[in-house]
Amino acid sequence: MRALLATLSGLLAVLLAGAALCGAWANQRVFDRDGFVSLAAPLGGDAEFRTALASAVTEEVSGSADLPAGLQQLVLPIVERTAGAVTELDGFPQALNEALANSHTLTLSGKTGSEAGITLDIAPIVDLAVTRVAEALGTNLPVPERVLVPVGSAQTASQLAFWQDLAAQWWLAALLAGGALALMLLAARRRTTALAWAGVGAAALGGLLWLAAVQVPPFAEGAGRSELAAAFVGRLAAMAVADFRPWAAVFAGVGLVVAVAGFTLRALLGGDRRQKATG
């Protein structure tokens, strides 16, 4: 009975520790606004995303330019050329970060998530382009308050809110993992061996998480309702995998260290003293 309790407690400790790892990463890098902006900021250097973004901004600015009909044919090429170069402007990185922060707030604030779903607000980038176009034309152009690009459905946004609440409880999973580990050590007849196998389990789980993360980008393919949305989701998923994998590797590494320490202690001590006494 004690051996079974130790085994189940050790398995539970490993699974809870893995859940705490995933929750801590998601809470810090996805659901925290500053963490999300830091995670997604490298999108500004991705060629595919920049091309899709420039196309969307050009379409928005061209459609919003209130020009006389006789001038549209003459001015439109200037508008398209200027707006299309928005990703090359000095203020683009700052505008992108602002757009990411606004999008994060809109999606996770709960104010518009139930209606609009997951959205990407590119208004700060459009504002940058409009300002440059207005300077080139020597006129004033309206600046939109919001330019929303649908990325996910309202149902997906609702699911995201659920995972946000769950990820915020990562510390509870960590505490429970510690309690389960303590129970395993109390119940085990050979504590060094039990600790070693718990480390093996943690190392294996870390490796599985590292390998499973690669499935995120294929899963994200086809998401989004436009070229920009698809590029945003696809590239962001790849960046999230690259960001999460070091966490999983560290988790696996810690498990490996614990396993080596447990087996080493068992070899040095010649087994659990209590086991010796009963043997």
Side-chain angles (χ1 to χ4, degrees):
M1 179 62 72
R2 292 184 60 181
L4 178 60
L5 178 60
T7 300
L8 293 178
S9 298
L11 179 61
L12 182 61
V14 170
L15 294 178
L16 286 171
L21 170 78
C22 296
W25 175 83
N27 189 67
Q28 180 178 330
R29 304 295 289 161
V30 177
F31 298 120
D32 177 76
R33 188 178 66 175
D34 292 339
F36 174 77
V37 172
S38 176
L39 172 67
L43 281 169
D46 183 79
E48 180 183 353
F49 176 76
R50 286 165 67 99
T51 299
L53 179 60
S55 177
V57 171
T58 300
E59 182 179 352
E60 176 66 26
V61 175
S62 301
S64 63
D66 187 12
L67 299 170
L71 294 178
Q72 285 185 356
Q73 295 300 321
L74 296 175
V75 173
L76 191 58
I78 300 177
V79 174
E80 293 178 345
R81 182 171 62 252
T82 305
V86 66
T87 59
E88 306 296 334
L89 300 179
D90 292 338
F92 172 68
Q94 181 179 354
L96 175 61
N97 287 348
E98 185 179 349
L100 292 171
N102 291 348
S103 303
H104 188 276
T105 300
L106 281 173
T107 298
L108 296 178
S109 65
K111 296 179 180 178
T112 60
S114 60
E115 300 174 1
I118 302 176
T119 56
L120 178 64
D121 181 14
I122 61 172
I125 303 171
V126 172
D127 185 5
L128 181 64
V130 167
T131 300
R132 183 56 61 91
V133 170
E135 291 174 353
L137 298 179
T139 186
N140 293 323
L141 295 176
V143 177
E145 181 179 358
R146 299 286 186 195
V147 181
L148 302 182
V149 178
V151 175
S153 65
Q155 180 180 2
T156 304
S158 178
Q159 294 172 352
L160 201 60
F162 167 78
W163 288 110
Q164 180 184 16
D165 293 338
L166 193 62
Q169 305 302 317
W170 67 269
W171 59 271
L172 181 58
L175 287 177
L176 292 174
L181 183 63
L183 179 60
M184 178 201 73
L185 293 176
L186 288 174
R189 287 189 171 86
R190 297 182 178 180
R191 294 175 180 174
T192 54
T193 302
L195 185 64
W197 282 111
V200 171
L205 180 59
L208 287 175
L209 290 173
W210 192 91
L211 292 173
V214 77
Q215 298 302 318
V216 174
F219 178 76
E221 289 181 359
R225 308 172 188 176
S226 64
E227 180 184 0
L228 176 57
F232 173 74
V233 173
R235 298 309 302 156
L236 182 61
M239 290 176 180
V241 169
D243 189 84
F244 173 74
R245 276 186 155 180
W247 290 56
V250 169
F251 184 84
V254 171
L256 185 60
V257 169
V258 171
V260 171
F263 285 126
T264 301
L265 286 174
R266 173 164 174 76
L268 292 175
L269 299 177
D272 187 84
R273 293 179 179 177
R274 191 168 29 168
Q275 181 68 20
K276 280 184 175 183
T278 57

